[in-house]
PDB file of all heavy atoms in Angstrom:
ATOM      1  N   ILE A  76       3.226 -20.192   7.014  1.00 55.00           N
ATOM      2  CA  ILE A  76       1.993 -19.662   6.515  1.00 55.00           C
ATOM      3  C   ILE A  76       1.430 -18.757   7.621  1.00 55.00           C
ATOM      4  O   ILE A  76       1.333 -19.189   8.757  1.00 55.00           O
ATOM      5  CB  ILE A  76       1.023 -20.786   6.158  1.00 55.00           C
ATOM      6  CG1 ILE A  76       1.539 -21.582   5.070  1.00 55.00           C
ATOM      7  CG2 ILE A  76      -0.365 -20.184   5.764  1.00 55.00           C
ATOM      8  CD1 ILE A  76       0.707 -22.839   4.746  1.00 55.00           C
ATOM      9  N   THR A  77       1.015 -17.567   7.242  1.00 53.00           N
ATOM     10  CA  THR A  77       0.476 -16.619   8.245  1.00 53.00           C
ATOM     11  C   THR A  77      -0.871 -16.135   7.729  1.00 53.00           C
ATOM     12  O   THR A  77      -1.115 -16.047   6.565  1.00 53.00           O
ATOM     13  CB  THR A  77       1.398 -15.415   8.425  1.00 53.00           C
ATOM     14  OG1 THR A  77       1.545 -14.717   7.227  1.00 53.00           O
ATOM     15  CG2 THR A  77       2.714 -15.863   9.000  1.00 53.00           C
ATOM     16  N   CYS A  78      -1.704 -15.697   8.634  1.00 58.00           N
ATOM     17  CA  CYS A  78      -3.011 -15.063   8.327  1.00 58.00           C
ATOM     18  C   CYS A  78      -2.807 -13.687   7.894  1.00 58.00           C
ATOM     19  O   CYS A  78      -2.136 -12.884   8.576  1.00 58.00           O
ATOM     20  CB  CYS A  78      -3.901 -15.190   9.485  1.00 58.00           C
ATOM     21  SG  CYS A  78      -5.528 -14.454   9.217  1.00 58.00           S
ATOM     22  N   ARG A  79      -3.335 -13.318   6.767  1.00 58.00           N
ATOM     23  CA  ARG A  79      -3.187 -11.907   6.241  1.00 58.00           C
ATOM     24  C   ARG A  79      -4.148 -10.991   6.882  1.00 58.00           C
ATOM     25  O   ARG A  79      -3.763  -9.879   7.298  1.00 58.00           O
ATOM     26  CB  ARG A  79      -3.328 -11.900   4.689  1.00 58.00           C
ATOM     27  CG  ARG A  79      -3.149 -10.549   4.157  1.00 58.00           C
ATOM     28  CD  ARG A  79      -3.201 -10.590   2.662  1.00 58.00           C
ATOM     29  NE  ARG A  79      -3.050  -9.226   2.155  1.00 58.00           N
ATOM     30  CZ  ARG A  79      -3.731  -8.704   1.192  1.00 58.00           C
ATOM     31  NH1 ARG A  79      -4.626  -9.407   0.570  1.00 58.00           N
ATOM     32  NH2 ARG A  79      -3.514  -7.456   0.823  1.00 58.00           N
ATOM     33  N   LYS A  80      -5.451 -11.358   7.016  1.00 62.00           N
ATOM     34  CA  LYS A  80      -6.385 -10.500   7.627  1.00 62.00           C
ATOM     35  C   LYS A  80      -7.447 -11.292   8.368  1.00 62.00           C
ATOM     36  O   LYS A  80      -7.670 -12.425   8.039  1.00 62.00           O
ATOM     37  CB  LYS A  80      -7.123  -9.677   6.532  1.00 62.00           C
ATOM     38  CG  LYS A  80      -6.284  -8.678   5.784  1.00 62.00           C
ATOM     39  CD  LYS A  80      -7.111  -7.842   4.806  1.00 62.00           C
ATOM     40  CE  LYS A  80      -6.288  -6.877   4.126  1.00 62.00           C
ATOM     41  NZ  LYS A  80      -7.074  -6.136   3.142  1.00 62.00           N
ATOM     42  N   THR A  81      -8.033 -10.619   9.365  1.00 62.00           N
ATOM     43  CA  THR A  81      -9.131 -11.147  10.059  1.00 62.00           C
ATOM     44  C   THR A  81     -10.288 -10.257   9.857  1.00 62.00           C
ATOM     45  O   THR A  81     -10.137  -9.001  10.084  1.00 62.00           O
ATOM     46  CB  THR A  81      -8.842 -11.362  11.595  1.00 62.00           C
ATOM     47  OG1 THR A  81      -7.680 -12.108  11.715  1.00 62.00           O
ATOM     48  CG2 THR A  81      -9.996 -11.931  12.319  1.00 62.00           C
ATOM     49  N   LEU A  82     -11.470 -10.749   9.430  1.00 58.00           N
ATOM     50  CA  LEU A  82     -12.629  -9.944   9.112  1.00 58.00           C
ATOM     51  C   LEU A  82     -13.709 -10.150  10.108  1.00 58.00           C
ATOM     52  O   LEU A  82     -14.051 -11.251  10.523  1.00 58.00           O
ATOM     53  CB  LEU A  82     -13.176 -10.338   7.712  1.00 58.00           C
ATOM     54  CG  LEU A  82     -14.460  -9.721   7.242  1.00 58.00           C
ATOM     55  CD1 LEU A  82     -14.352  -8.239   7.047  1.00 58.00           C
ATOM     56  CD2 LEU A  82     -14.914 -10.371   6.000  1.00 58.00           C
ATOM     57  N   HIS A  83     -14.257  -9.012  10.584  1.00 60.00           N
ATOM     58  CA  HIS A  83     -15.452  -8.996  11.420  1.00 60.00           C
ATOM     59  C   HIS A  83     -16.519  -8.210  10.755  1.00 60.00           C
ATOM     60  O   HIS A  83     -16.387  -6.982  10.644  1.00 60.00           O
ATOM     61  CB  HIS A  83     -15.156  -8.435  12.848  1.00 60.00           C
ATOM     62  CG  HIS A  83     -16.371  -8.231  13.660  1.00 60.00           C
ATOM     63  ND1 HIS A  83     -17.080  -9.296  14.156  1.00 60.00           N
ATOM     64  CD2 HIS A  83     -17.010  -7.155  14.030  1.00 60.00           C
ATOM     65  CE1 HIS A  83     -18.078  -8.853  14.867  1.00 60.00           C
ATOM     66  NE2 HIS A  83     -18.114  -7.526  14.752  1.00 60.00           N
ATOM     67  N   ARG A  84     -17.598  -8.818  10.312  1.00 61.00           N
ATOM     68  CA  ARG A  84     -18.692  -8.121   9.691  1.00 61.00           C
ATOM     69  C   ARG A  84     -19.810  -8.029  10.627  1.00 61.00           C
ATOM     70  O   ARG A  84     -20.456  -9.012  10.940  1.00 61.00           O
ATOM     71  CB  ARG A  84     -19.087  -8.871   8.386  1.00 61.00           C
ATOM     72  CG  ARG A  84     -20.109  -8.098   7.576  1.00 61.00           C
ATOM     73  CD  ARG A  84     -20.497  -8.902   6.325  1.00 61.00           C
ATOM     74  NE  ARG A  84     -19.320  -9.189   5.542  1.00 61.00           N
ATOM     75  CZ  ARG A  84     -19.156  -8.773   4.272  1.00 61.00           C
ATOM     76  NH1 ARG A  84     -20.059  -8.019   3.737  1.00 61.00           N
ATOM     77  NH2 ARG A  84     -18.063  -9.088   3.623  1.00 61.00           N
ATOM     78  N   SER A  85     -20.135  -6.833  11.029  1.00 65.00           N
ATOM     79  CA  SER A  85     -21.178  -6.664  12.054  1.00 65.00           C
ATOM     80  C   SER A  85     -22.545  -6.462  11.432  1.00 65.00           C
ATOM     81  O   SER A  85     -23.563  -6.744  12.046  1.00 65.00           O
ATOM     82  CB  SER A  85     -20.864  -5.436  12.960  1.00 65.00           C
ATOM     83  OG  SER A  85     -20.781  -4.251  12.159  1.00 65.00           O
ATOM     84  N   SER A  86     -22.574  -6.047  10.125  1.00 67.00           N
ATOM     85  CA  SER A  86     -23.872  -5.999   9.415  1.00 67.00           C
ATOM     86  C   SER A  86     -23.486  -5.926   7.868  1.00 67.00           C
ATOM     87  O   SER A  86     -22.346  -6.038   7.564  1.00 67.00           O
ATOM     88  CB  SER A  86     -24.620  -4.703   9.806  1.00 67.00           C
ATOM     89  OG  SER A  86     -23.986  -3.596   9.323  1.00 67.00           O
ATOM     90  N   THR A  87     -24.536  -5.800   7.090  1.00 72.00           N
ATOM     91  CA  THR A  87     -24.225  -5.738   5.643  1.00 72.00           C
ATOM     92  C   THR A  87     -23.716  -4.406   5.172  1.00 72.00           C
ATOM     93  O   THR A  87     -23.253  -4.259   4.068  1.00 72.00           O
ATOM     94  CB  THR A  87     -25.532  -6.019   4.833  1.00 72.00           C
ATOM     95  OG1 THR A  87     -26.534  -5.068   5.196  1.00 72.00           O
ATOM     96  CG2 THR A  87     -25.989  -7.472   5.103  1.00 72.00           C
ATOM     97  N   ILE A  88     -23.752  -3.336   6.014  1.00 78.00           N
ATOM     98  CA  ILE A  88     -23.309  -2.028   5.573  1.00 78.00           C
ATOM     99  C   ILE A  88     -21.974  -1.629   6.173  1.00 78.00           C
ATOM    100  O   ILE A  88     -21.411  -0.581   5.820  1.00 78.00           O
ATOM    101  CB  ILE A  88     -24.324  -0.934   5.934  1.00 78.00           C
ATOM    102  CG1 ILE A  88     -24.591  -0.832   7.410  1.00 78.00           C
ATOM    103  CG2 ILE A  88     -25.647  -1.168   5.080  1.00 78.00           C
ATOM    104  CD1 ILE A  88     -25.380   0.384   7.756  1.00 78.00           C
TER     105      ILE A  88
END
Side-chain angles (χ1 to χ4, degrees):
I76 298 173
T77 60
C78 179
R79 181 173 178 222
K80 292 183 180 181
T81 302
L82 172 66
H83 172 69
R84 187 180 302 243
S85 58
S86 69
T87 59
I88 62 168

